[in-house]
Amino acid sequence: MSDTGFQGDGIGGGTDVLDRELEKLLNEEAIEPGDHERFSHYVPKNKIMESALSGKPVKALCGKKWTPGRDPEKFPVCPSCKAIYEKMKSE
């Protein structure tokens, strides 16, 4: 049995395929009008992956709920998420 949980000749994908497809989509995405008002939010990485697989929304440290779909590198960090994260780190 392989690391992906599939037997056989490797057909069936796994997380490597999903990671490559997600990275491709994020790289191709353009910034749209109004995007300057958006922020990147702090969310546990495992919740982002769950959302990518299930389509369910995530909840950021600041309380914002949404379904991730944009490259967070293209937006400034949410000031509320950043403050909460810094406070958590110092405790």
Side-chain angles (χ1 to χ4, degrees):
M1 186 178 266
S2 71
D3 291 322
T4 60
F6 294 98
Q7 290 181 324
D9 57 6
I11 297 175
T15 57
D16 288 343
V17 173
L18 178 63
D19 289 344
R20 285 194 302 272
E21 290 297 316
L22 184 58
E23 184 176 357
K24 180 180 174 187
L25 286 171
L26 291 174
N27 288 336
E28 291 174 351
E29 161 180 296
I31 295 177
E32 298 174 3
D35 280 350
H36 64 281
E37 296 175 13
R38 297 184 182 178
F39 291 106
S40 295
H41 294 273
Y42 287 6
V43 175
K45 286 183 182 183
N46 65 324
K47 296 296 183 186
I48 296 289
M49 183 56 78
E50 282 179 31
S51 178
L53 295 172
S54 70
K56 293 182 180 177
V58 295
K59 184 176 180 182
L61 292 179
C62 68
K64 177 180 170 120
K65 291 182 182 180
W66 84 107
T67 304
R70 302 214 175 264
D71 181 359
E73 297 291 322
K74 294 183 179 180
F75 304 98
V77 174
C78 167
S80 297
C81 280
K82 187 173 183 176
I84 294 167
Y85 179 74
E86 293 298 324
K87 184 177 179 183
M88 289 169 51
K89 279 185 10 179
S90 66
E91 290 179 355

